[in-house]
Amino acid sequence: MLKILFCADSPNAEKWFKKISQVFAHCEVRQWQPNDTAPADYAIVWKPPAAMLQGRTDLKAIFILGAGVDAILQLGSALPSGVPLIRLDDAG
C-alpha cells in the first residue's frame, strides 16, 4: 500500500489533510508527528520542519502545497538527497 506523509504549517492543515485522505483513500495517509520515522513513499508538505525530512531515504518525491518553494529550500541539508521537489504550478 502506498504511504503518504502529510505536514503543513498552516491554518488550513486539517482541511488539506481531510481532502488528501479522501482523494487518496486507497493509500495510507498520515500526519507527521515529531519522532515519526515510519516509512513513507511520498510527502505532501507546506513549510515542513527540518526534522520531518532529515535523514529520510525512503521518499520518492516531495509535493509542495503551494507555488513557492522558498521555505523548503531553506532547509538545505535537511532535504533528502536526490528526492525530487514538485511544486504546484497553479495553487488555485
Side-chain angles (χ1 to χ4, degrees):
M1 177 180 289
L2 195 66
K3 294 174 174 54
I4 299 172
L5 187 58
F6 172 82
C7 182
D9 180 10
S10 166
N12 295 321
E14 280 303 316
K15 285 169 62 174
W16 282 341
F17 180 72
K18 185 176 180 180
K19 187 64 173 177
I20 289 166
S21 295
Q22 290 171 348
V23 170
F24 294 102
H26 60 286
C27 301
E28 177 187 309
V29 182
R30 71 180 190 276
Q31 286 189 342
W32 180 82
Q33 300 295 321
N35 300 317
D36 177 353
T37 59
D41 298 299
Y42 297 96
I44 300 175
V45 302
W46 180 250
K47 298 182 181 178
M52 178 198 170
L53 300 171
Q54 193 145 22
R56 287 212 168 260
T57 59
D58 52 354
L59 293 175
K60 297 174 185 159
I62 300 168
F63 293 86
I64 300 152
L65 285 168
V69 295
D70 295 341
I72 198 163
L73 291 178
Q74 291 177 0
L75 297 179
S77 64
L79 288 172
S81 179
V83 176
L85 296 176
I86 301 166
R87 69 173 180 84
L88 294 178
D89 188 38
D90 178 2

